[in-house]
Amino acid sequence: MEYGEFLRRVPKVELHCHFEGTVRAATAADLARKHDIALPTDDVEKLYDYDSIYEFLKIFALVSSALIDQEDFARTSYESLEDGVKLGNLKYREMFFNPTLHTSRGVPYKTVVDGLVDGIHAAEKDFGVRCRLIADVYRQDPPEQAREMVEQVLEHRPDELIGLGMDGAEAPDPPEKFVDAYRLAKQGGLRLTAHACEDAPAKNITTCLDVLGIERIDHGYHVLGDDAVVQRCLDEGLTFTVCPTATAVCYFDPDDLTKHPIREMAERGLKIMLNSDDPTMFHTDIGSEYDRMTRAAGWPPERIREFVLNGVDGAWLSDDEKRTMRKAFEQELDELQAQLDQPARA
Ligand code: ADE
Ligand code: ZN
C-alpha cells in the first residue's frame, strides 16, 4: 500500500473540527435556495476563499445563516460525519459548534442542538462513526452573552453535549475575558478546552490552564515562543489539537507546510494530534490533512501511530471506552502497517 493511502485509511479521532466549517459548498447553496437567502455568488466554492481569520469568520457566519430548521442541522451534521468517514476513516469526533452564531439570528438553541444530535445519530447508524459536541464561546461576543450561552447549554443538555470551548479571532479577545462562562461550565460538569496561541503569545496557554481550568489546547503554535511554557505542557502531558491547512492559510504559508510550527511541536515532544478544523471551508478533509502534513514533516508510520493514539488518549471518553478504542485502533494500525510498501517514505 502506498503511504498516502495508508495515511488516509488510518483510523482517526478528531478533537478539533467546527461543525459550521464542515458544511459542503453544494449543501450551503441548496439551503440558501431553500430559505431564500442571497449569497454573494452562485458558485459557493468561490465563497470559500480568504487569507485571514477575519475574512474566514465572515464567510463562516454567512454560510451558517443558511441553517435554520432542525432538519438543516441534522442534514449538515450527518454529511459532515459522512465526509470524515469516507475521506479519512473517522471513527470518533468531538465537534465544536457556535450556539450564539445561530441564536443571535433567532434560531432557538434547542433547534440547533437537537438537529445536530439527529444527524449524529443517523451517521452513527449508517457509518458506525461516533460524535460528541462541544459548545464554543465566540470570543468576539461580550462576556455576558457567553455566560448566558453556557446557562442555555446546561439547561438543555443531551448526553452528546460534553464540553465547552472557545473560538473566533484570538488576538483582540484574550481568554481571561470569559472566566465567568468557564467557571459556570465547570460547575455544571462540562469538560473544558479553548483555542489558544493560534494568534497570540504563550501566556494565553498559561491563562487557559490557571484561570480557566482547561484540559486541552486547540492549536497552541505560539507555545514555541516560551521554553518554560513548553516545559510545563510537556510535564503536564497537555494534548494539542493542531490543524495544518486552516492555520497555514490564515497565518503561515499555505503552499509550504515544511515550516509549519506543528513540525517543531512534534520534534519537541509535545502531545499533538491532527485535525481538519474547518475542512470544506479550507478545501481539505481529515485524510488530506494527515497526508499533506506527514509528507511535509517526513514523519514515518510510527509517528503517525503515536499521533493517532494521542487522539484517543486526549478524548473525553471514559477510561473503559478509551481502552477499547485504543485496542481496536492498534489492531487496525497493525494490519495497515503490514500492508505498507517498504520502506515507507513520506
Ligand atoms: N472558528 C472556526 N475555526 C476557527 C479557528 N481555526 N480559529 C478561530 N476560530 C475559528
Ligand atoms: Zn478551530
Side-chain angles (χ1 to χ4, degrees):
M1 185 190 305
E2 192 264 326
Y3 201 31
E5 193 184 342
F6 169 83
L7 293 165
R8 201 168 275 282
R9 285 176 54 181
V10 157
K12 296 176 186 75
V13 163
E14 257 197 305
L15 305 177
H16 185 159
C17 181
H18 301 259
F19 155 68
E20 294 88 348
T22 68
V23 176
R24 295 175 188 163
T27 301
D30 212 26
L31 293 177
R33 260 191 309 276
K34 171 182 167 188
H35 296 298
D36 215 5
I37 287 168
L39 296 175
T41 163
D42 287 338
D43 183 354
V44 184
E45 277 292 348
K46 287 203 184 118
L47 269 185
Y48 292 171
D49 182 20
Y50 14 69
D51 52 19
S52 81
I53 190 83
Y54 299 95
E55 286 174 30
F56 160 68
L57 289 171
K58 266 193 236 159
I59 301 300
F60 189 81
L62 181 66
V63 168
S64 299
S65 71
L67 304 172
I68 295 175
D69 304 331
Q70 186 166 326
E71 304 84 70
D72 303 340
F73 289 91
R75 171 182 173 183
T76 42
S77 62
Y78 176 90
E79 289 178 354
S80 164
L81 291 163
E82 178 180 22
D83 289 346
V85 172
K86 294 193 171 158
L87 301 171
N89 195 15
L90 180 70
K91 301 289 190 188
Y92 175 72
R93 180 190 283 166
E94 290 172 8
M95 182 160 74
F96 299 127
F97 70 112
N98 279 104
T100 63
L101 188 62
H102 309 292
T103 55
S104 63
R105 54 189 178 85
V107 179
Y109 173 72
K110 194 171 177 308
T111 300
V112 178
V113 80
D114 289 354
L116 293 175
V117 169
D118 289 345
I120 287 171
H121 288 168
E124 179 164 357
K125 184 163 164 279
D126 288 355
F127 309 116
V129 62
R130 291 200 297 152
C131 182
R132 299 286 179 267
L133 293 168
I134 301 173
D136 262 7
V137 167
Y138 187 66
R139 351 172 62 110
Q140 276 67 58
D141 287 346
E144 309 74 52
Q145 193 180 354
R147 198 197 134 88
E148 283 163 22
M149 181 274 275
V150 176
E151 282 169 5
Q152 248 174 353
V153 166
L154 293 175
E155 268 163 32
H156 180 69
R157 188 177 160 193
D159 290 344
E160 285 75 9
L161 203 147
I162 57 169
L164 185 77
M166 169 168 21
D167 64 10
E170 183 183 10
D173 290 286
E176 56 270 29
K177 179 177 168 188
F178 298 105
V179 63
D180 287 346
Y182 272 75
R183 190 180 298 127
L184 183 64
K186 187 165 188 166
Q187 282 165 3
L190 294 178
R191 309 295 298 264
L192 305 176
T193 187
H195 284 46
C197 296
E198 184 184 18
D199 186 27
K203 78 168 171 23
N204 274 11
I205 288 186
T206 309
T207 307
C208 284
L209 290 170
D210 294 339
V211 181
L212 301 186
I214 62 91
E215 306 165 72
R216 297 196 296 243
I217 286 289
D218 304 313
H219 296 300
Y221 317 113
H222 292 285
V223 70
L224 295 170
D226 189 326
D227 289 344
V229 184
V230 170
Q231 191 56 51
R232 177 177 179 186
C233 295
L234 289 169
D235 293 344
E236 297 185 11
L238 192 69
T239 300
F240 287 84
T241 70
V242 298
C243 308
T245 299
T247 316
V249 170
C250 288
Y251 299 107
F252 304 112
D253 181 348
D255 302 316
D256 180 10
L257 297 186
T258 64
K259 296 181 193 71
H260 202 299
I262 291 174
R263 197 172 172 185
E264 189 182 340
M265 289 170 82
E267 274 163 22
R268 295 190 65 177
L270 290 167
K271 199 165 171 185
I272 65 152
M273 46 82 60
L274 300 176
N275 302 272
S276 63
D277 207 356
D278 302 286
T280 54
M281 291 194 179
F282 287 97
H283 309 281
T284 186
D285 59 74
I286 187 60
S288 304
E289 292 297 272
Y290 268 69
D291 189 16
R292 284 190 74 214
M293 193 63 226
T294 299
R295 287 175 194 281
W299 292 324
E302 293 70 30
R303 228 60 243 276
I304 301 310
R305 190 181 182 97
E306 183 190 327
F307 301 150
V308 163
L309 295 176
N310 283 347
V312 178
D313 230 31
W316 291 335
L317 290 164
S318 71
D319 287 346
D320 257 4
E321 286 173 303
K322 287 203 267 193
R323 245 191 311 278
T324 306
M325 189 184 284
R326 195 180 171 93
K327 222 170 140 201
F329 272 37
E330 283 176 338
Q331 191 178 341
E332 201 167 332
L333 282 158
D334 286 343
E335 285 164 12
L336 285 168
Q337 239 172 299
Q339 296 171 51
L340 201 50
D341 299 340
Q342 293 296 335
R345 262 192 290 270

